[in-house]
């Protein structure tokens, strides 16, 4: 299946329902002044920020209030994204299931069904709320909020089970329904939500917060229509989509040489489902670039798996998501919306881990998604001779649960953890960055509400890959438990280090160790639901660092010395990786000359020693040549 959009002619949802006259004239770019376009875009983008702030202030769960695991979106009447891409669901299910005359002011649609979302909703804890903007009886837009709730049922607290083998085992499935109809709440749906979560108070608070967010967004869009008129706002929406497409065609595509390029990477699947003989899942893409189009073909990607590491998304979702890797090509502001669909095609094989068949489990669907960004950056690195960084897809995390010793109540905490991003052609990578809009849970908050202490929370020295521009660092965290706790580890880049590029070295992999250095030290797997900690146990968490960019021996010695003084790089790494002898320029020059003479030629990609060992043992196999020399 290939989903394409030819500028103004593609009408998502409308063609599935009724192509009424109210949808005409929505992309009249010439009729919109630049001033109006800027005003409408400003209101749309600021409304997104207001929705996000409203939800974060009023939500009740740690997932949304503290970790910020939620995203808003604004669509036009045809279901086309007009705001900055935010990885929410599509509006297509609403447009397909309800005739326009049955969509009224005050309606709020709810769903979380990954296989009925037409892409976007990846797993069951993501509840999606959508509300129409109706002015003078006409649907002008839709406002949406998608949030990861604390729990939606299933076998484990938090509803994220890596070993689930079908969607039915992962929690409550909600097809698209009207949660509010004409402003009146469907009490039956409300009671079903409360009855299918371990934390009903959190659920109720989060749902109310998300609905207040979409209502705020609707108010802002209504104001926009009153201020400038419905027809002008509709025309501006179309012009925003046109401008995105034009930016792709005129500013981004000319920077990428025409041709066909392929790259692949792997998702770690070790020991997820006992008896399923897979260790690593291949994600492969072939990019074909012409003067006016880019086509991503994920043929060669591995088939869906039994465990919950599948992502049921559609090609349109992937197109919008993957274009975010192109933002660095445009120095000024670039709002990515459905305009990219006029330039970018995506093919995803049915039955693959990126397009699984129902009812494949998908709790941990983010692993293959974030690896897609890696392979797209890989093909861009091949096309541009190493002129781009590699993926900042080094997110890690741990889920903790148990019974609180003081209250006797069940508790659950998800701790998303960023990793270091890759060094860039112009700067070092960023430390502890999350790919998602989320953020880490503050230590002070965690210690106040959960039975453990945070002994250490900082950067992990030497985790960033050496390079002319060093990779960003990952976290180093120590937790001490005050009560028995179930520990579920959810990380990638555990058996394979993050890739360095253009002569840069690989970053350091993640690590999870109970009681490090003690008599009962236990190294936990990178993906497990079965970790157990007793009262007094200590858990060491280190998240991955980013790969380096460029030859480490070309890095300024003073920058290496500064990294050593601030504890980011050890003296050993400074000497062995960067060839720097602190305070001695002559010794540094001599050491670097020795290293250059003895080392092998630098490579375009450095996947690290762990990958080399796995390849030598036959556990992974590359199908695309990877022995390329470093570029410019």
């Amino acid at each position: 299946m290939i989903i394409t959009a030819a500028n103004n002619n593609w009408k998502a949802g409308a063609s599935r329902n009724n192509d009424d006259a109210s949808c005409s004239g929505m992309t009249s770019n010439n009729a919109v002044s630049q001033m109006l376009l800027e005003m409408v875009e400003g209101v749309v983008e600021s409304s997104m920020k207001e929705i996000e702030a409203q939800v974060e202030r009023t939500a009740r769960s740690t997932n949304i209030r503290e970790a910020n695991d939620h995203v808003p979106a604004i669509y036009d009447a045809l279901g086309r994204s007009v705001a900055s891409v935010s990885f929410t669901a599509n509006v297509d299910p609403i447009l397909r299931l309800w005739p326009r005359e049955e969509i009224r002011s005050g309606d709020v649609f709810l769903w979380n069904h990954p296989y009925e979302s037409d892409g976007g909703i990846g797993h069951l804890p993501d509840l999606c709320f959508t509300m129409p903007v109706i002015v003078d009886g006409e649907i002008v837009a839709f406002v949406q909020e998608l949030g990861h709730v604390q729990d939606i049922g299933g076998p484990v607290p938090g509803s994220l089970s890596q070993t689930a083998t079908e969607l039915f085992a992962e929690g409550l499935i909600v097809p698209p329904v009207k949660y509010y109809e004409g402003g009146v709440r469907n009490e039956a749906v409300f009671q079903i939500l409360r009855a299918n979560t371990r934390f009903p108070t959190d659920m109720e608070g989060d749902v109310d917060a998300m609905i207040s967010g979409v209502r705020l967004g609707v108010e802002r869009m209504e104001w926009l229509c009153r201020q400038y008129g419905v027809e002008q706002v509709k025309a501006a929406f179309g012009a925003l989509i046109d401008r995105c497409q034009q930016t792709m065609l005129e500013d981004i595509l000319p920077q990428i040489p025409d041709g066909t390029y392929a790259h692949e990477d792997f998702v770690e699947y070790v020991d997820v489902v006992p008896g399923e003989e897979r260790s690593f899942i291949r994600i492969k893409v072939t990019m074909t670039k012409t003067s006016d189009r880019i086509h991503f073909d994920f043929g060669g990607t591995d088939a869906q798996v039994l465990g919950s590491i599948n992502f049921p998304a559609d090609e349109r979702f992937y197109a919008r998501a993957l274009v975010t890797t192109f933002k660095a090509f445009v120095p000024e502001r670039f709002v990515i919306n459905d305009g990219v669909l006029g330039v970018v095609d995506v093919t995803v094989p049915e039955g693959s881990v990126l397009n699984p068949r129902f009812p494949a489990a998908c709790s941990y669907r983010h692993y293959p998604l974030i690896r897609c960004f890696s392979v797209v950056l890989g093909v861009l690195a091949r096309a541009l001779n190493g002129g781009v960084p590699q993926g900042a897809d080094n997110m890690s995390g741990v889920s903790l649960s148990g019974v609180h010793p003081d209250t006797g109540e069940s508790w659950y905490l998800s701790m998303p953890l960023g990793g270091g991003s890759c060094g860039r052609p112009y700067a070092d990578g960023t430390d502890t960055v999350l790919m998602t809009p989320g953020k880490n849970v503050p230590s002070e908050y965690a210690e106040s509400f959960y039975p453990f202490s945070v002994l250490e929370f900082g950067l992990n020295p030497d985790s960033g890959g050496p390079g002319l521009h060093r990779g960003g660092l990952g976290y180093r965290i120590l937790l001490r438990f005050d009560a028995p706790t179930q520990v579920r580890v959810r990380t990638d880049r555990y058996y394979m280090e993050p890739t360095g590029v253009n002569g840069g070295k690989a970053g350091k992999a993640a690590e999870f160790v109970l009681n490090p250095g003690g008599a009962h030290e236990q190294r936990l797997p990178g993906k497990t639901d079965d970790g157990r900690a007793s009262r007094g146990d200590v858990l060491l968490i280190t998240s991955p660092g980013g790969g380096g960019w460029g030859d480490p021996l070309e890095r300024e010695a003073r920058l290496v010395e500064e990294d050593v003084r601030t504890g980011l790089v050890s003296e050993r790494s400074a000497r062995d990786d960067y060839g720097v002898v602190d305070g001695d320029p002559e010794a540094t020059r001599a050491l670097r000359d020795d290293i250059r003479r003895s080392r092998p030629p630098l490579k375009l990609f450095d996947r690290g020693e762990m990958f080399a060992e796995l390849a030598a043992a036959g556990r992974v196999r590359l199908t695309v040549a990877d022995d390329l020399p470093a570029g410019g």
Side-chain angles (χ1 to χ4, degrees), residues 258-269:
D258 290 356
T260 299
Y261 314 90
H263 194 70
E264 60 194 332
D265 208 335
F266 299 86
V267 175
E268 298 170 0
Y269 191 64

PDB file of all heavy atoms in Angstrom, residues 258-269:
ATOM      1  N   ASP A 258      20.034  13.098  -6.058  1.00  0.00           N
ATOM      2  CA  ASP A 258      19.141  12.079  -6.596  1.00  0.00           C
ATOM      3  C   ASP A 258      19.840  10.720  -6.557  1.00  0.00           C
ATOM      4  O   ASP A 258      21.059  10.613  -6.731  1.00  0.00           O
ATOM      5  CB  ASP A 258      18.757  12.406  -8.033  1.00  0.00           C
ATOM      6  CG  ASP A 258      17.834  13.607  -8.139  1.00  0.00           C
ATOM      7  OD1 ASP A 258      17.431  14.130  -7.088  1.00  0.00           O
ATOM      8  OD2 ASP A 258      17.532  14.032  -9.277  1.00  0.00           O
ATOM      9  N   GLY A 259      19.047   9.691  -6.332  1.00  0.00           N
ATOM     10  CA  GLY A 259      19.625   8.350  -6.313  1.00  0.00           C
ATOM     11  C   GLY A 259      18.854   7.436  -5.376  1.00  0.00           C
ATOM     12  O   GLY A 259      17.830   7.809  -4.802  1.00  0.00           O
ATOM     13  N   THR A 260      19.356   6.224  -5.248  1.00  0.00           N
ATOM     14  CA  THR A 260      18.745   5.218  -4.383  1.00  0.00           C
ATOM     15  C   THR A 260      19.763   4.784  -3.335  1.00  0.00           C
ATOM     16  O   THR A 260      20.900   4.449  -3.667  1.00  0.00           O
ATOM     17  CB  THR A 260      18.285   3.996  -5.203  1.00  0.00           C
ATOM     18  OG1 THR A 260      17.309   4.426  -6.161  1.00  0.00           O
ATOM     19  CG2 THR A 260      17.673   2.936  -4.302  1.00  0.00           C
ATOM     20  N   TYR A 261      19.349   4.801  -2.078  1.00  0.00           N
ATOM     21  CA  TYR A 261      20.241   4.506  -0.960  1.00  0.00           C
ATOM     22  C   TYR A 261      19.507   3.598   0.025  1.00  0.00           C
ATOM     23  O   TYR A 261      18.305   3.758   0.245  1.00  0.00           O
ATOM     24  CB  TYR A 261      20.661   5.790  -0.240  1.00  0.00           C
ATOM     25  CG  TYR A 261      21.096   6.905  -1.162  1.00  0.00           C
ATOM     26  CD1 TYR A 261      20.164   7.825  -1.656  1.00  0.00           C
ATOM     27  CD2 TYR A 261      22.422   7.042  -1.547  1.00  0.00           C
ATOM     28  CE1 TYR A 261      20.550   8.841  -2.506  1.00  0.00           C
ATOM     29  CE2 TYR A 261      22.821   8.062  -2.390  1.00  0.00           C
ATOM     30  CZ  TYR A 261      21.876   8.963  -2.877  1.00  0.00           C
ATOM     31  OH  TYR A 261      22.257   9.976  -3.709  1.00  0.00           O
ATOM     32  N   ALA A 262      20.225   2.655   0.618  1.00  0.00           N
ATOM     33  CA  ALA A 262      19.610   1.726   1.562  1.00  0.00           C
ATOM     34  C   ALA A 262      20.423   1.676   2.851  1.00  0.00           C
ATOM     35  O   ALA A 262      21.654   1.859   2.843  1.00  0.00           O
ATOM     36  CB  ALA A 262      19.507   0.326   0.956  1.00  0.00           C
ATOM     37  N   HIS A 263      19.732   1.424   3.946  1.00  0.00           N
ATOM     38  CA  HIS A 263      20.395   1.292   5.247  1.00  0.00           C
ATOM     39  C   HIS A 263      19.521   0.405   6.122  1.00  0.00           C
ATOM     40  O   HIS A 263      18.312   0.256   5.883  1.00  0.00           O
ATOM     41  CB  HIS A 263      20.579   2.661   5.897  1.00  0.00           C
ATOM     42  CG  HIS A 263      21.530   2.649   7.067  1.00  0.00           C
ATOM     43  ND1 HIS A 263      22.887   2.457   6.924  1.00  0.00           N
ATOM     44  CD2 HIS A 263      21.305   2.811   8.397  1.00  0.00           C
ATOM     45  CE1 HIS A 263      23.463   2.511   8.107  1.00  0.00           C
ATOM     46  NE2 HIS A 263      22.530   2.708   9.019  1.00  0.00           N
ATOM     47  N   GLU A 264      20.139  -0.168   7.132  1.00  0.00           N
ATOM     48  CA  GLU A 264      19.399  -1.035   8.051  1.00  0.00           C
ATOM     49  C   GLU A 264      19.972  -0.937   9.448  1.00  0.00           C
ATOM     50  O   GLU A 264      21.127  -0.556   9.654  1.00  0.00           O
ATOM     51  CB  GLU A 264      19.448  -2.494   7.576  1.00  0.00           C
ATOM     52  CG  GLU A 264      20.851  -3.063   7.492  1.00  0.00           C
ATOM     53  CD  GLU A 264      20.909  -4.372   6.721  1.00  0.00           C
ATOM     54  OE1 GLU A 264      19.905  -5.110   6.696  1.00  0.00           O
ATOM     55  OE2 GLU A 264      21.957  -4.660   6.128  1.00  0.00           O
ATOM     56  N   ASP A 265      19.123  -1.236  10.417  1.00  0.00           N
ATOM     57  CA  ASP A 265      19.532  -1.288  11.815  1.00  0.00           C
ATOM     58  C   ASP A 265      18.636  -2.307  12.500  1.00  0.00           C
ATOM     59  O   ASP A 265      17.758  -2.895  11.858  1.00  0.00           O
ATOM     60  CB  ASP A 265      19.430   0.097  12.459  1.00  0.00           C
ATOM     61  CG  ASP A 265      20.418   0.278  13.601  1.00  0.00           C
ATOM     62  OD1 ASP A 265      20.835  -0.732  14.202  1.00  0.00           O
ATOM     63  OD2 ASP A 265      20.772   1.427  13.909  1.00  0.00           O
ATOM     64  N   PHE A 266      18.825  -2.488  13.801  1.00  0.00           N
ATOM     65  CA  PHE A 266      18.161  -3.598  14.472  1.00  0.00           C
ATOM     66  C   PHE A 266      17.538  -3.154  15.792  1.00  0.00           C
ATOM     67  O   PHE A 266      18.081  -2.309  16.507  1.00  0.00           O
ATOM     68  CB  PHE A 266      19.165  -4.732  14.741  1.00  0.00           C
ATOM     69  CG  PHE A 266      19.779  -5.292  13.495  1.00  0.00           C
ATOM     70  CD1 PHE A 266      20.902  -4.700  12.933  1.00  0.00           C
ATOM     71  CD2 PHE A 266      19.224  -6.390  12.869  1.00  0.00           C
ATOM     72  CE1 PHE A 266      21.472  -5.191  11.782  1.00  0.00           C
ATOM     73  CE2 PHE A 266      19.784  -6.899  11.705  1.00  0.00           C
ATOM     74  CZ  PHE A 266      20.909  -6.306  11.159  1.00  0.00           C
ATOM     75  N   VAL A 267      16.392  -3.759  16.092  1.00  0.00           N
ATOM     76  CA  VAL A 267      15.753  -3.632  17.399  1.00  0.00           C
ATOM     77  C   VAL A 267      16.111  -4.872  18.200  1.00  0.00           C
ATOM     78  O   VAL A 267      16.044  -5.992  17.693  1.00  0.00           O
ATOM     79  CB  VAL A 267      14.219  -3.520  17.258  1.00  0.00           C
ATOM     80  CG1 VAL A 267      13.559  -3.514  18.633  1.00  0.00           C
ATOM     81  CG2 VAL A 267      13.848  -2.276  16.478  1.00  0.00           C
ATOM     82  N   GLU A 268      16.480  -4.679  19.435  1.00  0.00           N
ATOM     83  CA  GLU A 268      16.885  -5.803  20.280  1.00  0.00           C
ATOM     84  C   GLU A 268      15.644  -6.545  20.798  1.00  0.00           C
ATOM     85  O   GLU A 268      14.733  -5.941  21.377  1.00  0.00           O
ATOM     86  CB  GLU A 268      17.734  -5.292  21.438  1.00  0.00           C
ATOM     87  CG  GLU A 268      19.018  -4.637  20.949  1.00  0.00           C
ATOM     88  CD  GLU A 268      19.793  -3.893  22.011  1.00  0.00           C
ATOM     89  OE1 GLU A 268      19.327  -3.871  23.170  1.00  0.00           O
ATOM     90  OE2 GLU A 268      20.844  -3.320  21.688  1.00  0.00           O
ATOM     91  N   TYR A 269      15.652  -7.845  20.599  1.00  0.00           N
ATOM     92  CA  TYR A 269      14.494  -8.675  20.947  1.00  0.00           C
ATOM     93  C   TYR A 269      14.930  -9.879  21.787  1.00  0.00           C
ATOM     94  O   TYR A 269      14.237 -10.873  21.869  1.00  0.00           O
ATOM     95  CB  TYR A 269      13.815  -9.134  19.648  1.00  0.00           C
ATOM     96  CG  TYR A 269      12.464  -9.787  19.841  1.00  0.00           C
ATOM     97  CD1 TYR A 269      11.386  -9.084  20.357  1.00  0.00           C
ATOM     98  CD2 TYR A 269      12.266 -11.119  19.488  1.00  0.00           C
ATOM     99  CE1 TYR A 269      10.155  -9.680  20.522  1.00  0.00           C
ATOM    100  CE2 TYR A 269      11.028 -11.729  19.633  1.00  0.00           C
ATOM    101  CZ  TYR A 269       9.972 -11.009  20.154  1.00  0.00           C
ATOM    102  OH  TYR A 269       8.750 -11.594  20.318  1.00  0.00           O
TER     103      TYR A 269
END
